[in-house]
Amino acid sequence: MSSRPQEPDRAASEPVEPVPEGAVRPPRGDLPQPGPPPRPEAANGEPGPDAAGPTPAEDEYTTAIQELEDRWRRALADLDNLRKRHARELERERTVERSRTAAAFLPVLDNLELALAHAGADPGAIVEGVRTVRDQAVNVLELLGYPRHAETGVAFDPARHEVVGVVQDPDAPPGTVVEVLRPGYGDGERQLRPAAVTVAKRE
């Protein structure tokens, strides 16, 4: 059995030219030539992390952020509309309440004009008419939630009375209201004003 004669190594048989000192030997043809590094790819051939295009997770986060921004803007718009609607309703309620109060006092003004129209008839009748108009106005205030307080002989109450003077009165118990100089109207949080009174001096 004959064997083929082995071919001599071409690289070994080729004469090697001497390289001057300091020079760079050119690369051999049988060695791999340097080139640009390969792009990073996954083991299964899919594009690496530097490939163009966002990942599915990034798309999901972006969509969620956009939805939250839209909900936030809608909430701000709804809040602004609610504030404007509340302001309109409040102003409408104030207008209705003012109209109701003014309408309640119209009969009082009508009776005052009647009293003035008959001022020359009978002085006694005029006084009685003015007193009637006064009682009517007091009744209107009471219907509106502001009852009148002009009682004497009651104990002084700092929540309902304002002391404008202290007098010596042997007939009145100390610390009681002797005289009401200006009636008060209303109670508690709905008080228009306290009654201005004089109080019996304490011993």
Side-chain angles (χ1 to χ4, degrees):
M1 181 175 183
S2 62
S3 59
R4 293 180 60 184
Q6 295 182 353
E7 295 181 359
D9 189 357
R10 295 177 57 185
S13 61
E14 292 179 356
V16 179
E17 298 180 358
V19 180
E21 184 178 357
V24 179
R25 183 187 298 275
R28 292 170 53 184
D30 57 347
L31 297 178
Q33 302 297 323
R39 297 180 61 183
E41 295 184 354
N44 56 1
E46 296 180 357
D50 294 338
T55 62
E58 292 176 348
D59 290 340
E60 183 179 354
Y61 293 150
T62 302
T63 303
I65 291 175
Q66 291 177 352
E67 291 179 355
L68 290 175
E69 288 180 350
D70 293 339
R71 292 172 59 184
W72 176 64
R73 291 191 180 95
R74 286 196 298 269
L76 286 181
D78 293 341
L79 182 61
D80 186 61
N81 293 334
L82 180 63
R83 180 184 60 80
K84 293 179 179 178
R85 184 167 61 251
H86 176 70
R88 290 194 299 268
E89 292 177 355
L90 183 60
E91 182 61 28
R92 184 165 55 249
E93 289 295 328
R94 288 174 177 172
T95 301
V96 171
E97 188 65 22
R98 285 194 297 265
S99 299
R100 187 172 71 90
T101 304
F105 271 98
L106 286 179
V108 177
L109 292 176
D110 294 338
N111 289 332
L112 282 175
E113 290 186 359
L114 287 175
L116 291 175
H118 298 82
D122 183 5
I126 295 300
V127 172
E128 186 63 28
V130 171
R131 184 179 292 110
T132 301
V133 174
R134 190 274 315 271
D135 294 340
Q136 185 181 18
V138 170
N139 184 51
V140 170
L141 285 174
E142 185 173 0
L143 291 177
L144 293 175
Y146 304 103
R148 175 187 174 100
H149 296 292
E151 303 86 1
T152 59
V154 298
F156 170 75
D157 184 358
R160 298 172 56 184
H161 300 133
E162 178 185 354
V163 178
V164 295
V166 178
V167 296
Q168 186 73 34
D169 190 346
D171 298 331
T176 59
V177 176
V178 176
E179 183 182 6
V180 178
L181 303 179
R182 186 189 63 199
Y185 294 91
D187 294 305
E189 296 181 355
R190 294 178 58 87
Q191 186 182 67
L192 289 178
R193 71 181 185 190
V197 298
T198 58
V199 180
K201 185 177 180 181
R202 296 182 181 274
E203 297 297 336

